[in-house]
Amino acid sequence: QDFLGGRMELIVCDMEPFWEKGAIVYRLEDCPLSKVKLIVYSLVPAVAMLFGMLGLWSRQRNVRGRGKDTQLSSIVVVGMAILSISYDWFFSWTLFRNPRGEFQARLSEVGLAHLIATVAVNFLLVHFWFRRRFLVGMPWYEYHKHGIGLHAVFLLMYAQPQCVALFQSRIFDIDLFNIHFGTPSKMNEVLSYVACLSLLQDVPQFLLQLSVWIADVSGLQAPRVSAVSM
């Protein structure tokens, strides 16, 4: 600040992780908080706590029955998996709608196209391999196939295959979330294969987001969800 000349120097905010990087202010103390970053970062512990509390509620609600068998870890995994795929879609949509710089312009459609392709692949494998080969004809499946709950879980699996963990969560001792087909070992093997489908989505998305983040030398061009999404 120049008191004699009546001038004040402007500075660029470069504070991480919650501030609006690139904002022009007179003092670092005046750097504004980024609402998008605050929401993106705060949702991680919030979702983990929400699904964790849901699992604890399930355990306590049927403490004398089978509620104690609720798989708390499976419920938390599902919550974080849903949040992860939501951030991937947010990143790819931001890159598609508002690419910044030549590098992002070349990749603007890659992320969104990849996510759409993985949904199609997940649908084909879950529907024609998992569903028709292992579930059709089983008493558990035949009982639940006319309900909306089973189809809702399958829709989640098309977007994020790790949501298959819901079938073993035993939440609130609801039979829908206590899948049984074949032997326990075979069932666990098949469900683990289904969950591994998420690697077709996670690995390419990680490489895409990492490349965009590394190419952003100024730290102002990459989508704000990049650091958390990776």
Side-chain angles (χ1 to χ4, degrees):
Q1 183 173 353
D2 184 359
F3 291 99
L4 296 179
R7 297 193 303 262
M8 295 183 67
E9 294 183 359
L10 297 176
I11 57 177
V12 179
C13 289
D14 58 354
M15 301 171 64
E16 291 284 0
F18 306 115
W19 288 267
E20 192 71 54
K21 195 170 184 179
I24 308 298
V25 294
Y26 291 111
R27 300 176 304 172
L28 285 178
E29 294 83 356
D30 297 330
C31 288
L33 292 170
S34 171
K35 294 181 180 179
V36 174
K37 290 183 179 180
L38 285 175
I39 294 175
V40 166
Y41 277 90
S42 62
L43 277 179
V44 176
V47 169
M49 291 177 59
L50 175 63
F51 280 78
M53 292 299 295
L54 184 64
L56 291 175
W57 180 26
S58 173
R59 284 185 176 181
Q60 295 299 320
R61 188 170 181 264
N62 295 310
V63 68
R64 294 184 179 179
R66 298 180 59 186
K68 61 184 179 181
D69 296 330
T70 300
Q71 301 299 308
L72 184 60
S73 59
S74 296
I75 298 173
V76 175
V77 165
V78 169
M80 299 309 295
I82 293 175
L83 183 63
S84 174
I85 186 59
S86 300
Y87 281 173
D88 286 342
W89 278 95
F90 182 32
F91 176 92
S92 296
W93 180 252
T94 303
L95 197 65
F96 175 73
R97 289 297 304 271
N98 187 28
R100 298 181 176 181
E102 182 181 352
F103 182 76
Q104 291 189 22
R106 293 199 302 266
L107 300 176
S108 61
E109 299 178 357
V110 174
L112 207 57
H114 170 255
L115 289 175
I116 295 173
T118 55
V119 170
V121 172
N122 292 339
F123 168 78
L124 293 174
L125 292 176
V126 169
H127 184 77
F128 292 102
W129 178 73
F130 174 59
R131 195 170 185 173
R132 292 197 173 185
R133 182 174 179 181
F134 297 101
L135 297 184
V136 172
M138 294 293 151
W140 176 87
Y141 176 79
E142 296 301 325
Y143 178 78
H144 291 290
K145 69 178 183 180
H146 299 296
I148 192 173
L150 181 65
H151 299 288
V153 176
F154 276 124
L155 284 176
L156 289 175
M157 289 172 59
Y158 299 152
Q160 174 52 275
Q162 291 189 42
C163 289
V164 71
L166 280 174
F167 285 141
Q168 289 185 307
S169 63
R170 301 177 182 176
I171 187 169
F172 295 112
D173 197 24
I174 300 175
D175 185 64
L176 175 63
F177 303 120
N178 186 20
I179 191 173
H180 36 273
F181 63 91
T183 62
S185 59
K186 182 63 176 179
M187 182 176 66
N188 291 330
E189 180 184 1
V190 172
L191 295 180
S192 65
Y193 285 155
V194 174
C196 285
L197 289 175
S198 62
L199 292 175
L200 298 175
Q201 162 191 303
D202 293 340
V203 174
Q205 282 293 315
F206 171 75
L207 295 177
L208 171 65
Q209 295 169 20
L210 181 63
S211 62
V212 171
W213 184 70
I214 292 177
D216 181 18
V217 180
S218 65
L220 302 176
Q221 296 181 340
R224 298 171 184 174
V225 73
S226 299
V228 182
S229 182
M230 288 189 293

